[in-house]
Amino acid sequence: MNAVRECLVVSRTMAASPAEIFAVLSDPNRHQDTEPGNWVRAAVDANPITAMGQVFAVNMFLDAAGGHYVMHNLVIAYVQDRTIAWLPGARTDDGPIGYGGWWWRYDLATADEGTTVTLTYDWTDTPEATRAEIGGLPSVPESFLAESLASLESSLRESGAASRA
């Protein structure tokens, strides 16, 4: 394991409660609300995320990745209304899911103005062969994380959650 973390970390304070934000993050069908473009699509199975160890699948689309594909995400951290993280992976032709070694994590902390959401994208444990295969890491710039948090906040406003905080 690498002693120095290779990651991007961005925070944003939103006028919504931790429970309202966590409701979006733990709903696989709302993951498209956390992405600034149209890379993330609808969930394969819309059952809510409820525990560490759960796997949820989300449809994705990216021309550079060959168009449509499915990410199978292993939940590696789960604390209701506080923390959720997952390790993205792809199902191989013979069935098992292969994980690339990078992960996404959201930490929620109550703030005077609502909730501070910290988004971490960490690729420390990604093997060199995987890094080379996908063209290097990070696969997104820090601005993508900031735009993702802005998308999350916008979806909360649209649903009315942000106005109730």
Side-chain angles (χ1 to χ4, degrees):
M1 184 183 249
N2 196 341
V4 176
R5 301 304 308 172
E6 295 177 285
C7 61
L8 299 174
V9 181
V10 175
S11 295
R12 183 182 186 110
T13 299
M14 302 178 191
S17 72
E20 290 166 325
I21 296 168
F22 199 84
V24 173
L25 299 174
S26 61
D27 179 349
N29 223 25
R30 300 246 1 236
H31 276 225
Q32 57 196 331
D33 295 337
T34 68
E35 195 260 313
N38 64 355
W39 189 3
V40 179
R41 304 291 173 92
V44 173
D45 178 355
N47 289 326
I49 300 165
T50 58
M52 198 162 79
Q54 184 176 347
V55 174
F56 67 97
V58 178
N59 289 296
M60 308 283 285
F61 185 89
L62 186 64
D63 282 330
H68 176 266
Y69 62 101
V70 176
M71 291 303 296
H72 297 269
N73 303 286
L74 173 64
V75 179
I76 58 172
Y78 183 94
V79 178
Q80 179 75 41
D81 299 339
R82 202 164 149 182
T83 300
I84 190 166
W86 56 87
L87 187 64
R91 190 168 300 282
T92 61
D93 291 339
D94 59 351
I97 300 170
Y99 297 100
W102 63 89
W103 47 263
W104 297 91
R105 178 182 173 119
Y106 290 83
D107 290 290
L108 312 178
T110 302
D112 290 340
E113 306 83 18
T115 304
T116 299
V117 181
T118 300
L119 173 56
T120 303
Y121 164 52
D122 188 305
W123 62 94
T124 305
D125 299 328
T126 304
E128 287 304 321
T130 302
R131 292 170 189 244
E133 181 181 324
I134 62 176
L137 290 171
S139 60
V140 297
E142 187 173 330
S143 60
F144 182 88
L145 277 70
E147 292 166 7
S148 293
L149 291 178
S151 294
L152 172 60
E153 184 175 31
S154 177
S155 77
L156 291 162
R157 274 196 305 269
E158 289 171 12
S159 70
S163 63
R164 294 188 300 267

